Amino acid sequence: MVAAAFACTRPAPISCGDSLVLDKGWQLSRAGGAEQWNATVPSTVAGALYDAGFFGDGLLEGLAYAAADKAIFDDTWTYRTAFSAKAAPGQHYELCFDGLGYYADIFLNGTQIASSDTTFGVFRRRAYEVAPLLRSRNTLEVRLRRAQSGDLNIGFVDWNPRPLDESMGIVRPVTLHATGAVSIEDVFVIPDLDVQTLAQADLEVRVTLRNHEARPVEGTLHLDLQDAGQAAVPFSLEAGQTKTLCLTPAELPLLHLTDPRVWWSYDLGTPELYSLEARAEVAGVLSDRREVEFGVRQITSSLTADNYRQFKLNGRDILLKGAGWTDDIFLRDTQESLRRQVEYVKDMNLNCIRFENIWGKDDTVYDLCDRLGVLSLVGWSCQWEWENYCGLPETDSYGCINTPETEDLAVAYFRDQVVRLHNHASLIGWLTGSDRIPNPGLEQRYMEIYNAQEYRPYVCSAKNMESGITGWSGTKMEGPYEWVGADYWYRDTQAGGAFGFNTETGIGANLPQAGSLRRMIPEDALWPLSEAWDYHCTASTSAMNATKVLNAVIEGHYGAAIGFEDFVRKAHAVDYDGTRGMFEAFRVRMPRSTGIVQWMLNSAWPSLYWQLYDWYGVPTAGYYGTKKACEPLQLMFNYADRKVYAVSESPEPVTLKANYLVYDEQSRLLGGDSKDVRLGYRTSLPVFDLRRFDGRPHFVALSLTAADGTVVADNFYCLPAKDNEYVWDRTNWYITPVSRYADLRFAFGQEPADVQMSVEERGDGQWAVTLTNKSSVIAYMNILQALDAAGELVAPAFWSDNFFPLLPGQTKTVSCRADVRDIHFKLD
């Protein structure tokens, strides 16, 4: 085993400024056992075993996970690898670990370099000088024990079952980095953009240098700034000294940029990035180098008159439209899966991801946000704020981090992660609390770090709370997390409705498509609803842990489902309308609404709840409802005042024609109208009053068209004779109960429509799919599926529109992009 590993490693020596990435050739073993499994790094133990087939097939399907043996992870597990890296004279070598879960004993060539009594905590970044220990051939061994109750670990909370191994593993990269006498510990770029003209920007560059020698050292720092030029700065360091050079345009004129390439979120412009290389030379010889990417932009926030937090990008108010991220349950995300997911965010017209828990095995997902122009909001998880999740007692409104030991660890975590992320252009701010705020002493220590290492907005909590140190959060977390109708978001004035910045909320179940359900639920448990369905809801012990609410909503709206396919189709209607209504309401209510984060974006395992695409990567109906709701230019129905609003978040003004048609429950045309509208950035204006159609079931078809008749956007509603009746005084943290559901049975009560489909391949993975409704009735919710040769749903498949209706006689062409051979299409 060891000889094979040596044969695959890079030959020594490593040049100064270079790193050897130790990601392959690892072996994993259990204490006391002889068997070994191949592993890559980063990984968790359970993830490596999953990939090796240890658990067999179907661990995450049905009820299998509940029966999995967790006891094996009470033992110590060892990662072992071998590499070539002989020390060269005058060089220093640091063995760097970016994340270890959770208690680690580390051995290099048989010598212990770290002990688990001090080497614990998943969000610490560690480096060890190992030059005296290096040989031509080296063996690295990392012995790990899992986190225990009370440890500040990665937290999935109740979003899914806990990982079998509590995320034990080498969960972030391991590298061997070579330097001369001086290393570059950090390069931090702070842009100052003139937001009035966008024509000027100044950069402050902070370069932290460390002298590894027991003698003073002098040298030169060279900077190479993309599109701007080069500069050199002398430095001197005392023996063992670490010093930060703060460089501004006053010292280096190249740090003043004229007509800079400005970073914008993708919906407002182009996410332009710059690169900066820093090189430290001693006696004219390269000692270390580091390259960073950054964006020139300004991100600020303030509190409105109503105490709501409003973010600005480059001087423009923005409505944050996002969703909450989770990693895979075994941290098995790949670069390909991460790219697909961030591209999904853009495809849904969202502009933000909330990363509660500082997710990611490395920086890949944040790099993607930078390059694709998706804003990112980061912070700590509520995992450490509730005793039943963390295992430590809660204190007042401060959560569970209140002892000297836990505070010291949290502060070390905070420093390491702020420094890790502070050059990412997409990052708009930090939330150091989720459901709580840090205690005053802890927050003061956080702020000392933040003021030195960050410049973007700091927010004390995702909930509406006030800190004595940093003031009001300006956010809210009042739910709901379980089903409410599309009308709720307009009518609620006390909890989760469309006002302020709702940092996490949603309608509960976002049911996967039938193809995914058949993969996660055994065939004999698909219908009627069974324990296997409930097990794949959430792991909450208080609510949202069964399909009973979804089933009641379906029955109340559409009538009891008569089988699996009928249940799924009606669940899709619930999801599409409810999720779309949430995002639409926050857009209609601009500027009183400042942000909305769907709980959640994705799932850590095969799930029925809280997802815009499922664990298999297949979009839910809510995905397409979100995509429709968040189109830059759109017409939307306001359930409160019964008016149609024209909404724009397009950065450029535009004049379009707004159109509506109203049909009765038998698809007979009742009326319609058209009107020219001029829309500017962040416009929300009423254009049609539909109150005259109240009191009877009806369909509403909306469209925005250009001067030549081209459809810019369309939208469609099934409106009942009476809306839902909510029991407002029984609103709690996760739901507002309903005493009477809106009767929407007419939506599925039409006679079957004759819809014909044709497909045209356009090359380069592009297809045009055309549907024509040959009948005189509305064809409600046409679901298009892209299938591979095995009949499985293709993921990713990017549809321009899906789950859409067709009016009598209407023809509509949509596009599909998918990189799959032998693809075929199905209309459901």
Side-chain angles (χ1 to χ4, degrees):
M1 288 289 187
V2 172
F6 281 131
C8 297
T9 54
R10 192 198 317 180
I14 308 172
S15 299
C16 287
D18 287 347
S19 295
L20 176 63
V21 179
L22 303 179
D23 56 349
K24 297 178 175 64
W26 291 84
Q27 297 288 311
L28 181 64
S29 61
R30 178 185 177 189
E35 192 171 3
Q36 294 188 343
W37 295 269
N38 293 326
T40 58
V41 165
S43 66
T44 65
V45 173
L49 294 177
Y50 185 96
D51 287 337
F54 175 85
F55 299 104
D57 296 330
L59 174 67
L60 302 181
E61 280 77 47
L63 300 173
Y65 195 83
D69 182 11
K70 296 182 180 180
I72 61 172
F73 300 110
D74 293 335
D75 293 334
T76 297
W77 286 76
T78 299
Y79 283 81
R80 184 179 292 103
T81 192
F83 61 94
S84 298
K86 185 178 181 181
Q91 287 189 349
H92 295 266
Y93 296 83
E94 285 197 323
L95 187 59
C96 305
F97 295 85
D98 281 355
L100 294 167
Y102 188 85
Y103 293 90
D105 293 284
I106 306 172
F107 299 82
L108 180 62
N109 294 326
T111 299
Q112 186 165 9
I113 61 174
S115 172
S116 59
D117 58 348
T118 57
T119 309
F120 58 85
V122 70
F123 291 116
R124 289 300 317 273
R125 306 179 86 185
R126 300 176 175 87
Y128 305 96
E129 171 63 64
V130 295
L133 298 178
L134 289 178
R135 307 168 186 167
S136 295
R137 295 182 174 183
N138 303 275
T139 300
L140 175 62
E141 186 174 286
V142 182
R143 301 174 188 171
L144 293 165
R145 289 181 288 113
R146 70 170 181 85
Q148 304 296 315
S149 177
D151 289 334
L152 305 185
N153 194 24
I154 292 174
F156 291 87
V157 199
D158 56 9
W159 314 338
N160 53 259
R162 299 178 77 112
L164 297 173
D165 61 350
E166 299 295 334
S167 301
M168 173 170 53
I170 305 177
V171 297
R172 288 188 177 153
V174 179
T175 56
L176 180 68
H177 185 67
T179 74
V182 174
S183 63
I184 300 175
E185 299 294 295
D186 185 46
V187 178
F188 179 26
V189 183
I190 304 174
D192 182 11
L193 175 66
D194 179 357
V195 297
Q196 299 301 317
T197 67
L198 305 183
Q200 307 286 332
D202 288 334
L203 305 179
E204 179 182 338
V205 177
R206 300 178 186 176
V207 182
T208 302
L209 303 174
R210 177 183 169 199
N211 181 6
H212 293 261
E213 300 288 333
R215 58 179 177 80
V217 171
E218 295 183 349
T220 304
L221 175 68
H222 295 270
L223 298 180
D224 187 348
L225 177 60
Q226 183 183 9
D227 297 343
Q230 301 175 342
V233 179
F235 65 81
S236 61
L237 297 169
E238 298 299 322
Q241 183 184 15
T242 297
K243 179 166 66 175
T244 298
L245 305 182
C246 295
L247 308 172
T248 69
E251 296 88 22
L252 299 179
L254 90 161
L255 299 182
H256 175 77
L257 304 180
T258 302
D259 295 325
R261 295 184 288 105
V262 177
W263 189 94
W264 289 96
S265 56
Y266 78 92
D267 53 328
L268 296 179
T270 303
E272 297 280 2
L273 292 171
Y274 284 84
S275 65
L276 173 66
E277 183 185 42
R279 301 187 308 278
E281 293 184 357
V282 176
V285 176
L286 179 67
S287 182
D288 199 9
R289 63 183 176 187
R290 185 178 291 222
E291 184 173 350
V292 297
E293 281 190 330
F294 66 94
V296 175
R297 79 282 175 272
Q298 184 190 81
I299 295 171
T300 60
S301 76
S302 60
L303 297 180
T304 69
D306 295 315
N307 217 32
Y308 305 147
R309 186 164 296 277
Q310 175 66 65
F311 280 87
K312 290 179 181 284
L313 174 61
N314 301 329
R316 287 191 171 190
D317 287 348
I318 52 175
L319 175 67
L320 291 179
K321 304 179 295 293
W325 180 279
T326 180
D327 280 358
D328 174 81
I329 191 171
F330 295 145
L331 305 188
R332 295 175 60 252
D333 285 309
T334 64
Q335 290 190 0
E336 293 76 19
S337 71
L338 294 174
R339 171 169 282 277
R340 177 192 69 213
Q341 293 182 77
V342 179
E343 287 181 342
Y344 273 163
V345 171
K346 287 184 63 176
D347 187 58
M348 284 185 282
N349 301 304
L350 299 176
N351 61 7
C352 180
I353 299 173
R354 182 183 170 201
F355 293 97
E356 179 185 343
N357 207 66
I358 318 297
W359 292 110
K361 293 188 295 186
D362 53 28
D363 277 11
T364 297
V365 70
Y366 305 101
D367 291 339
L368 286 166
C369 287
D370 294 345
R371 293 164 190 170
L372 296 178
V374 175
L375 298 164
S376 55
L377 186 62
V378 302
W380 294 140
S381 168
C382 63
Q383 169 86 359
W384 305 338
E385 297 173 336
W386 297 98
E387 184 171 351
N388 55 329
Y389 300 133
C390 183
L392 296 173
E394 302 170 39
T395 301
D396 297 328
S397 59
Y398 302 132
C400 303
I401 305 175
N402 298 293
T403 65
E405 296 79 12
T406 56
E407 288 183 15
D408 287 347
L409 182 58
V411 168
Y413 278 1
F414 189 67
R415 179 184 296 106
D416 286 353
Q417 298 309 310
V418 167
V419 171
R420 170 195 170 202
L421 297 175
H422 62 187
N423 281 312
H424 284 286
S426 60
L427 196 153
I428 60 170
W430 266 80
L431 284 81
T432 52
S434 179
D435 301 36
R436 296 287 185 260
I437 57 175
N439 73 57
L442 177 59
E443 187 172 30
Q444 186 62 55
R445 295 175 70 184
Y446 281 162
M447 291 310 300
E448 290 172 2
I449 296 167
Y450 204 78
N451 291 335
Q453 299 291 350
E454 253 298 353
Y455 59 93
R456 284 159 285 206
Y458 168 97
V459 184
C460 65
S461 177
K463 198 171 183 178
N464 183 26
M465 302 190 76
E466 184 181 19
S467 160
I469 295 173
T470 58
W472 282 101
S473 66
T475 58
K476 68 174 183 178
M477 197 198 316
E478 305 298 330
Y481 296 89
E482 185 59 279
W483 183 85
V484 291
D487 54 348
Y488 164 89
W489 307 100
Y490 293 93
R491 296 168 59 192
D492 171 71
T493 60
Q494 301 298 320
F499 56 91
F501 183 7
N502 196 335
T503 58
E504 52 181 72
T505 190
I507 65 163
N510 304 110
L511 205 70
Q513 295 192 45
S516 292
L517 288 168
R518 292 187 183 278
R519 296 174 69 178
M520 62 188 282
I521 307 293
E523 188 68 28
D524 60 0
L526 274 177
W527 193 259
L529 300 180
S530 64
E531 181 185 3
W533 287 74
D534 292 345
Y535 187 62
H536 287 268
C537 293
T538 79
S540 171
T541 57
S542 56
M544 302 162 291
N545 49 23
T547 56
K548 61 182 180 181
V549 171
L550 176 60
N551 197 37
V553 173
I554 288 173
E555 185 170 347
H557 273 331
Y558 303 112
I562 58 174
F564 169 72
E565 299 289 349
D566 188 47
F567 179 82
V568 172
R569 178 171 288 273
K570 289 174 177 176
H572 288 334
V574 169
D575 185 9
Y576 187 102
D577 284 351
T579 306
R580 178 186 60 172
M582 176 182 70
F583 280 106
E584 286 187 344
F586 276 79
R587 296 189 70 204
V588 167
R589 291 282 176 82
M590 293 184 297
R592 190 161 185 259
S593 56
T594 60
I596 171 66
V597 178
Q598 149 82 13
W599 196 252
M600 300 175 65
L601 174 67
N602 54 355
S603 289
W605 82 312
S607 176
L608 308 181
Y609 259 71
W610 298 340
Q611 59 193 350
L612 294 176
Y613 49 88
D614 65 31
W615 185 76
Y616 305 102
V618 178
T620 62
Y623 178 108
Y624 296 106
T626 300
K627 182 181 174 78
K628 183 68 67 176
C630 295
E631 289 184 19
L633 299 161
Q634 186 57 282
L635 289 179
M636 304 175 186
F637 179 75
N638 182 327
Y639 285 81
D641 64 16
R642 321 304 287 182
K643 295 178 181 179
V644 174
Y645 282 70
V647 176
S648 172
E649 290 179 271
S650 176
E652 302 299 329
V654 63
T655 298
L656 298 169
K657 186 177 290 295
N659 315 277
Y660 83 85
L661 296 171
V662 174
Y663 296 82
D664 70 9
E665 64 269 38
Q666 278 83 43
S667 300
R668 295 174 299 208
L669 185 64
L670 295 179
D673 197 3
S674 296
K675 183 184 297 185
D676 288 335
V677 292
R678 181 165 176 79
L679 302 174
Y681 179 60
R682 286 173 60 83
T683 296
S684 175
L685 58 89
V687 290
F688 301 119
D689 189 334
L690 302 188
R691 283 178 292 180
R692 67 188 179 95
F693 299 103
D694 284 353
R696 61 181 299 180
H698 56 286
F699 299 101
V700 176
L702 307 175
S703 65
L704 284 171
T705 53
D708 63 359
T710 302
V711 176
V712 175
D714 59 12
N715 215 343
F716 186 85
Y717 298 85
C718 301
L719 299 179
K722 295 180 180 180
D723 285 340
N724 299 295
E725 288 188 1
Y726 295 94
V727 188
W728 298 107
D729 60 359
R730 289 177 54 199
T731 296
N732 58 34
W733 66 272
Y734 72 93
I735 196 171
T736 295
V738 175
S739 60
R740 181 184 54 78
Y741 292 97
D743 187 348
L744 296 171
R745 285 174 293 179
F746 71 98
F748 291 103
Q750 305 286 301
E751 62 182 76
D754 178 14
V755 178
Q756 298 182 5
M757 180 178 73
S758 63
V759 178
E760 176 189 354
E761 183 174 358
R762 293 181 172 174
D764 296 326
Q766 301 278 350
W767 285 265
V769 180
T770 299
L771 299 184
T772 300
N773 184 359
K774 296 285 189 178
S775 59
S776 60
V777 297
I778 291 171
Y780 180 60
M781 193 180 291
N782 296 278
I783 303 173
L784 289 166
Q785 299 176 337
L787 305 173
D788 61 20
E792 298 284 356
L793 289 162
V794 171
F798 293 93
W799 290 94
S800 61
D801 199 2
N802 209 336
F803 288 71
F804 56 83
L806 286 173
L807 302 179
Q810 182 184 8
T811 294
K812 180 169 180 173
T813 299
V814 296
S815 64
C816 179
R817 174 169 58 90
D819 186 18
V820 174
R821 294 183 178 180
D822 300 324
I823 194 170
H824 63 284
F825 297 93
K826 179 185 175 184
L827 173 62
D828 187 6

